[in-house]
Amino acid sequence: TITSKITFQSIITCVKGYVDANPDTLPIILSLENHCNHHFQEIMANILNDTLGDQLYKLPKSSGGPLPSPLDLVGKVVVKGKRSMEQDDETTMGSESSIEDQIEGLALGEEELIGMTSFESEGSVKSSSRKRDKVKEKLDCQSGKLKYAKVKDEEAPPMPKTVPNLAALTLFNGVKFKDFTSSMDIPTTDMHSINESAMGKLYKDPENVQKWKEYNVEHMSRIYPAGGRIDSSNYDPVMPWSSGCQLVALNFQTDDSPMTVNDGRFLENGGCGYVHRSPSTFPSNNEPTGVKILRIKVLSGSCLPKPYGESVGEVIDPYVVMRVYDVEKSKKMRRGSIVTTQSAPTESGHNDMLEITDHKTSSVRDNGFCPQWEDEEYFSFTVNSQVAMVEIIVIDSNRGFIDEIMCKTAVPVSGLRQGLRSVQFYDQCSSQHGPFGMARILLDVDINYVM
């Protein structure tokens, strides 16, 4: 993805401004993808400390035990990154200090200077092509160059990837994933970041899904888009939600259905950015073996805007698309609907898969003010999980041209209530400004449970 450059200081200053304006906010988690050398890591730690002050959560010396809850971290900024060195590891830190003293002498000429490099634009180090022994980096602040000095093997302990000052500010320590059996024994502050491709492979084995739920009881998991999404498209977040993953990262710059589903999920709980996990995402929960039959009829609309909120143009011909995102335990095709499944089933055919079911109404000609769908039938959806989401999209029908989305929204199926319900809509930026403030459709919702 092509992105513009922005300084680390400006980002942290922006975060501080938000926390200052919203002191009761639940914790903001900063995920640091750190490719800086030790010198610039020290600068990052100083910026975090100097800018955020008491608003920055600092890892206590005794960091064992359960993680703090979001309510314990109100008004705080939490750092996620790599913590390769514990802050209270006095032996390692003492060894690091003694080596620094030795390098100070080496840089003054007590040993042969065997290499010299200069900083590149992104703080990386360009190495000399000459063959070197095991070396230690030393910054020459006057020349801005990084010098390498020879160090005997027995005097050179392994260098930590993260400097102690930055490690002391890191609550969530990213560690490599091997298997969930070994992950159960890692500290609660250690967490895994798994891309969507690896997630799909894990979901092929139902035992992995169950172990993942057990792991997520006391640990954190982060899912992120695959590197092949160079167009910044998104994957559907419903599947990782079903296993209890707390951080499901999406490309927020792309306005697509997964982002709409994500926005709809987090409209709950006052839009504070945190929602309660569904009971089915916990391993101890006895999820009902039955399914929920959701029937929805689109009755009418009100004040539906033109595409992109335009004030001029042709009168719209609206129709409604309703789509349910769900995780099911068996591959079944529904009659009368369009069903697609993602993630291949196991040999037994019983695994958690993402199911997307579509229905759409007919179009109403030349009426965006108060369209009615009197003759429409009920749309029927079979819902298997507690994390299912329903997306509702209003589209302008353009005969002979590409249909255009006018407005959309998403609602958790668990939040739907039976009876006549009015649904609000949002624009492509998930806001209700201007003509989107009054956009509504009226639904008749019927919910039944089949055991």
Side-chain angles (χ1 to χ4, degrees):
T1 303
I2 300 176
T3 57
S4 58
K5 295 180 180 179
I6 186 171
T7 64
F8 185 73
Q9 176 69 73
S10 61
I11 295 173
I12 304 305
T13 301
C14 180
V15 172
K16 177 177 174 52
Y18 179 83
V19 178
D20 287 342
N22 302 273
D24 295 331
T25 184
L26 290 173
I28 298 174
I29 301 176
L30 296 180
S31 181
L32 302 183
E33 185 176 337
N34 186 4
H35 299 285
C36 294
N37 59 30
H38 289 177
H39 172 65
F40 288 109
Q41 288 182 28
E42 292 286 359
I43 294 177
M44 291 172 63
N46 291 337
I47 290 174
L48 287 167
N49 274 314
D50 296 343
T51 305
L52 297 175
D54 293 338
Q55 295 170 339
L56 179 65
Y57 179 82
K58 298 178 177 63
L59 192 66
K61 290 186 177 181
S62 56
S63 55
L67 290 169
S69 74
L71 293 179
D72 295 330
L73 301 173
V74 170
K76 294 289 186 181
V77 177
V78 176
V79 175
K80 173 203 167 291
K82 296 286 187 180
R83 182 169 17 90
S84 58
M85 180 184 196
E86 294 296 338
Q87 63 173 8
D88 56 348
D89 191 344
E90 296 180 356
T91 304
T92 306
M93 293 178 66
S95 301
E96 172 72 12
S97 176
S98 63
I99 287 297
E100 287 291 343
D101 294 338
Q102 296 176 34
I103 297 304
E104 184 69 30
L106 294 172
L108 293 176
E110 294 180 11
E111 285 286 340
E112 177 189 6
L113 184 64
I114 62 172
M116 184 175 291
T117 62
S118 59
F119 288 112
E120 291 182 336
S121 58
E122 297 182 359
S124 60
V125 177
K126 184 177 180 181
S127 300
S128 168
S129 60
R130 295 174 57 188
K131 186 177 180 180
R132 297 188 298 267
D133 297 329
K134 192 169 289 186
V135 295
K136 176 70 173 66
E137 60 183 31
K138 177 67 180 179
L139 177 68
D140 187 333
C141 297
Q142 293 182 348
S143 64
K145 294 181 178 180
L146 193 66
K147 299 179 178 179
Y148 285 97
K150 188 189 301 182
V151 179
K152 295 180 180 179
D153 288 348
E154 61 271 18
E155 296 176 346
M159 293 294 294
K161 292 183 179 181
T162 306
V163 296
N165 287 339
L166 185 58
L169 307 178
T170 304
L171 173 61
F172 296 117
N173 177 39
V175 297
K176 290 184 178 181
F177 172 77
K178 295 180 180 179
D179 58 76
F180 286 115
T181 301
S182 58
S183 294
M184 296 296 180
D185 298 327
I186 65 176
T188 56
T189 54
D190 287 354
M191 64 175 291
H192 297 311
S193 290
I194 301 173
N195 69 37
E196 59 169 302
S197 301
M199 175 192 68
K201 294 178 181 178
L202 289 172
Y203 259 82
K204 292 181 180 180
D205 185 352
E207 291 185 6
N208 277 333
V209 178
Q210 185 66 19
K211 290 180 180 179
W212 204 347
K213 291 180 180 181
E214 295 175 9
Y215 169 82
N216 285 331
V217 172
E218 295 185 350
H219 299 82
M220 300 278 282
S221 291
R222 171 179 171 265
I223 311 300
Y224 61 94
R229 293 185 180 271
I230 58 175
D231 58 347
S232 295
S233 59
N234 284 306
Y235 60 96
D236 293 297
V238 173
M239 187 177 291
W241 288 343
S242 69
S243 59
C245 296
Q246 299 89 347
L247 303 176
V248 181
L250 299 176
N251 290 311
F252 269 54
Q253 67 269 35
T254 302
D255 174 49
D256 52 12
S257 288
M259 267 305 303
T260 302
V261 169
N262 185 79
D263 290 341
R265 179 75 173 113
F266 286 94
L267 285 175
E268 291 185 305
N269 207 17
C272 68
Y274 286 75
V275 295
H276 289 285
R277 282 171 52 182
S278 300
S280 62
T281 64
F282 292 90
S284 59
N285 176 262
N286 295 321
E287 191 174 1
T289 56
V291 296
K292 181 187 296 185
I293 304 300
L294 177 65
R295 299 172 66 246
I296 302 178
K297 183 177 181 179
V298 181
L299 299 176
S300 64
S302 175
C303 301
L304 301 180
K306 290 181 172 61
Y308 307 103
E310 296 288 345
S311 58
V312 296
E314 296 181 352
V315 180
I316 60 176
D317 306 325
Y319 66 91
V320 179
V321 172
M322 199 165 295
R323 180 178 298 138
V324 168
Y325 296 82
D326 190 17
V327 176
E328 66 170 2
K329 297 185 183 302
S330 61
K331 191 175 183 180
K332 301 176 182 178
M333 300 300 294
R334 314 292 182 200
R335 290 186 177 181
S337 64
I338 306 171
V339 177
T340 59
T341 57
Q342 299 180 9
S343 179
T346 57
E347 294 180 357
S348 63
H350 296 282
N351 74 305
D352 287 328
M353 296 179 299
L354 177 67
E355 180 187 68
I356 306 173
T357 309
D358 285 7
H359 287 289
K360 72 175 183 177
T361 68
S362 59
S363 61
V364 177
R365 295 297 304 276
D366 298 332
N367 190 348
F369 182 69
C370 56
Q372 297 182 24
W373 289 273
E374 297 178 351
D375 299 330
E376 289 293 331
E377 304 256 339
Y378 279 90
F379 297 156
S380 181
F381 303 93
T382 302
V383 180
N384 301 278
S385 71
Q386 298 177 0
V387 296
M389 297 287 299
V390 55
E391 181 187 24
I392 306 171
I393 311 170
V394 181
I395 302 176
D396 181 20
S397 176
N398 290 325
R399 294 189 176 183
F401 299 93
I402 299 176
D403 295 352
E404 295 181 286
I405 294 177
M406 297 187 297
C407 51
K408 55 186 178 178
T409 190
V411 181
V413 173
S414 59
L416 287 175
R417 291 181 294 170
Q418 193 150 305
L420 298 179
R421 299 297 165 197
S422 177
V423 178
Q424 303 178 7
F425 282 97
Y426 299 84
D427 62 12
Q428 294 181 333
C429 296
S430 299
S431 66
Q432 292 182 312
H433 297 137
F436 296 90
M438 298 297 294
R440 302 283 192 279
I441 63 168
L442 186 65
L443 306 176
D444 186 10
V445 180
D446 180 60
I447 303 173
N448 292 293
Y449 295 89
V450 178
M451 302 304 292

